[in-house]
Amino acid sequence: MTKITILSLDLYGFNKFIAEKLEELGVETTYISSADFSYKYKNTSERVVNFFRKGLLNKNIKKIKQTEYVLDRLSKTRGMQDAILVVDPAHFNNEILDAVRKKTSKLIAYNYDSIAKLDLPKNMVSYFDEFYSFDIQDCETYGFRY
């Protein structure tokens, strides 16, 4: 059986719909949306400490916990995946992309937003075997597939 993981920040449920349809077609599908994660500060002190950590150390407890959430979900996928699709990869840090890369030999990215709206960190494209975009200009400029 084919095994596919979809990783996204799925605010509107589009990618969940795709995952459900793949399941109906007999594909073992793991769906991970970082939008399913929410973090609530334990107290006001934690909120204040996080404010300073973000400003001084560039470390945000919410992003750290979100990364832990995604890595935990990824660790529960069964074995190697035939393919992993990362939708809007700029939303995911290198720690997540490193872990995803180890779970498949076919890593695919799809950008919903153009690079002009959501810039990609340096070297991010190099993580992926295939990189798709709806934006024709991004495809021409960066060599993405349309």
Side-chain angles (χ1 to χ4, degrees):
M1 177 184 282
T2 302
K3 294 193 286 188
I4 295 176
T5 295
I6 299 174
L7 172 62
S8 68
L9 174 67
D10 195 4
L11 297 174
Y12 304 108
F14 299 131
N15 301 312
K16 184 176 185 179
F17 177 77
I18 293 169
E20 290 168 352
K21 291 300 175 189
L22 287 170
E23 282 284 335
E24 288 176 14
L25 294 171
V27 176
E28 183 179 316
T29 307
T30 302
Y31 166 75
I32 304 170
S33 174
S34 61
D36 292 343
F37 170 81
S38 67
Y39 183 79
K40 294 188 181 195
Y41 292 109
K42 295 174 187 173
N43 52 43
T44 304
S45 298
E46 186 179 49
R47 184 183 299 267
V48 170
V49 168
N50 192 50
F51 173 80
F52 287 107
R53 284 180 61 172
K54 284 190 302 189
L56 300 172
L57 303 174
N58 199 25
K59 292 187 178 184
N60 182 340
I61 189 73
K62 289 181 179 180
K63 291 187 186 241
I64 292 167
K65 294 295 185 185
Q66 184 178 51
T67 295
E68 290 171 0
Y69 169 80
V70 171
L71 293 175
D72 179 63
R73 294 288 316 275
L74 185 63
S75 74
K76 293 177 180 166
T77 58
R78 293 194 310 252
M80 288 294 286
Q81 303 293 291
D82 294 303
I84 296 179
L85 171 64
V86 180
V87 180
D88 274 343
H91 292 292
F92 301 100
N93 62 34
N94 290 351
E95 185 178 0
I96 291 171
L97 295 179
D98 287 339
V100 167
R101 176 82 262 175
K102 291 174 185 171
K103 296 288 278 184
T104 189
S105 60
K106 187 168 186 173
L107 186 56
I108 303 165
Y110 176 71
N111 246 18
Y112 272 149
D113 290 317
S114 67
I115 300 293
K117 288 185 179 181
L118 183 62
D119 197 16
L120 292 171
K122 279 189 174 190
N123 301 320
M124 179 165 278
V125 175
S126 65
Y127 274 96
F128 298 94
D129 301 306
E130 298 174 19
F131 207 105
Y132 293 84
S133 176
F134 78 95
D135 187 280
I136 292 174
Q137 185 171 351
D138 283 357
C139 293
E140 292 171 356
T141 304
Y142 302 103
F144 300 159
R145 293 183 181 183
Y146 185 73

